[in-house]
Amino acid sequence: MTDQHIEAGLRSLRRPAPAGLLDTVLDRLGLGDAYVRVEGPIGPLFVAFGRDGISLVERARDAGDFEATFRAMFGRPVRRIDRAPVLIERVIDARLWGRRRLSGPPPVDLHELPEFEQQVLRKVLEIPRGEVRPYAWVAAELGRPLAVRAVGNAVARNPIPFVIPCHRVVRSDGRIGEYGAGGPTAKRAVLEAEGFDTTELERLPARGVRFIGSDTTHVYCYPSCRNARRITPRHRVPLRSADVARQAGFRACRVCRPVDAPFRAA
Amino acid sequence: MAIAENDPLCARLADDLDEAFPELVVQHQQLVFGIAVRVVGDSGAEDVAQEVFVRAYHALRRYPAERVREMRLRPWLGRMTINLARNTLRGRRPTTDIADLADLADLADHPQSTEGLPHQHAQRREERRMWARLLAGLPPRYRLAVALRHVDELSYAELAETLRRPVGSVKSDVHRGIALLRAAYDAEQRGIAQEAS
């Protein structure tokens, strides 16, 4: 019985720490932010998240740049991990790919943003996959119909693109509009990846058509509303404005709640 | 014993605590958890370990950078773990500041190594159980010193600093503890031999 034998016996009593200890400690200290690289509809993305949900999404280019952006926004570091927690994976699957439905709004951490921007982005979360809404609609829904430009600014600064679908917010005149995560070309690509026909989207307004009504139900909708897409071709009535629609005896769809833009400039 | 060079992790902690702190947890979680589990047993060890790291973070936040740069993390964390674990125990059980024998024997029941044939695996597990039992049978003073030295593998200098006692004194505790372990082991082997004959 040598000392080495005893020492080896004692060494065998070493125990690894529980797997979740690091994460729990970092969470308790507010250092729990991490990010993953995932495939997105138009290329890879970096997705960052903490205890309150997803906090930052960017198209994946330089990891160092992403970490610096995160730090500038939140004042704390973020560490890269290989695989997102199950909850975050589900959100990514649902919001980026439409592969599953979530029972409620996805966990997103917006509390660094001003109140109005938070309201705008939470409203944008409601726009379903495969549909678009104008900036003016978001403004009207928030009870501030004249704040179209402010909505535009808030959407442009969306820190969580793709998950919060700012690509589904377009101009009332039918043009696709600007896009913070890569300009109009990228915006068109994301919409197309969701199965949306962007040529059709721009064709109708170019002819002055903003809404589609049904001559059987006398309901009018935004053209991409699921109710509008159900109207058979011979019952579709093109409409120039909500005013015109109402005068012709149509009522607004309760799903898409269409509104006129407050002014017709550009 | 030569004075150790400053730990490069300490420099990083001094420069940017938030950036370097996860690394501190990664490097020292086995030590902290290992000590905690021997004092409070399986239930509660993880809570103690969490609390140690949370307190360590807040302490490092408060300390001036020069102090952080010169810290010796293992004795510092080791000492904090022993104290916190004992406090936890005091709230729970008034009688003793060490885990009871059953808890300590359970220590050995982790799937540390799964390579080899099943019977080899079972044999290793039996051996770990035996060492845990022998260690648990030592008087507390020797048990703590032996475990910190040979399970957690602290150096004698670290051990002395952890227990705030002279190096010579902790060395003699470790040696005495090992001698007692050897005696207990021999007695057990004799017992087995007698049973077999």
Side-chain angles (χ1 to χ4, degrees), chain A residues 1-11, chain B residues 127 130-131 185:
Chain A
M1 188 65 196
T2 61
D3 279 5
Q4 280 84 359
H5 185 169
I6 297 178
E7 286 165 17
L10 290 170
R11 250 197 319 277
Chain B
E127 281 177 18
M130 178 197 71
W131 286 113
Y185 176 83

Side-chain angles (χ1 to χ4, degrees), chain A residues 144-167:
Chain A
R144 294 186 52 187
L146 299 180
V148 180
R149 191 171 294 268
V151 167
N153 290 336
V155 169
R157 282 201 296 270
N158 176 14
I160 315 177
F162 303 98
V163 173
I164 298 179
C166 53
H167 55 276

Side-chain angles (χ1 to χ4, degrees), chain B:
Chain B
M1 171 119 194
I3 292 171
E5 302 246 320
N6 283 350
D7 184 344
L9 178 57
C10 289
R12 287 173 52 205
L13 290 165
D15 288 345
D16 187 344
L17 179 60
D18 287 354
E19 186 272 326
F21 191 77
E23 186 60 31
L24 175 140
V25 180
V26 169
Q27 282 186 19
H28 299 288
Q29 57 180 348
Q30 183 164 14
L31 172 71
V32 168
F33 180 74
I35 294 174
V37 88
R38 280 200 310 276
V39 179
V40 303
D42 259 332
S43 66
E46 190 168 353
D47 288 347
V48 169
Q50 269 185 38
E51 196 58 33
V52 167
F53 285 118
V54 168
R55 289 188 187 196
Y57 175 86
H58 291 303
L60 291 168
R61 263 261 155 266
R62 283 194 312 272
Y63 294 168
E66 317 83 76
R67 177 169 175 191
V68 174
R69 255 176 247 283
E70 289 174 1
M71 285 180 75
R72 281 174 302 275
L73 295 171
R74 279 153 61 88
W76 183 60
L77 291 168
R79 180 164 189 82
M80 208 173 349
T81 309
I82 292 171
N83 289 341
L84 254 168
R86 284 178 172 166
N87 288 346
T88 309
L89 219 52
R90 260 196 278 284
R92 204 163 66 190
R93 258 191 319 228
T95 48
T96 169
D97 70 346
I98 49 122
D100 60 22
L101 296 186
D103 272 359
L104 254 164
D106 283 344
L107 288 191
D109 245 355
H110 60 101
Q112 190 178 55
S113 154
T114 47
E115 77 267 23
L117 299 167
H119 73 269
Q120 289 173 332
H121 180 55
Q123 190 190 344
R124 272 198 297 271
R125 201 172 77 170
E126 267 319 297
E127 281 177 18
R128 279 201 302 274
R129 278 183 166 281
M130 178 197 71
W131 286 113
R133 200 175 55 245
L134 293 179
L135 180 65
L138 289 182
R141 168 175 182 165
Y142 303 126
R143 176 172 47 222
L144 184 57
V146 164
L148 288 172
R149 176 69 191 96
H150 289 297
V151 183
D152 303 317
E153 298 185 301
L154 296 185
S155 69
Y156 280 116
E158 289 173 331
L159 180 51
E161 197 176 338
T162 305
L163 300 178
R164 293 208 174 142
R165 284 170 44 203
V167 175
S169 154
V170 294
K171 236 180 206 173
S172 98
D173 277 1
V174 172
H175 290 157
R176 179 83 188 118
I178 294 286
L180 288 173
L181 269 185
R182 182 184 295 108
Y185 176 83
D186 289 345
E188 178 152 320
Q189 293 305 307
R190 271 198 304 278
I192 292 169
Q194 270 169 16
E195 256 172 52
S197 65

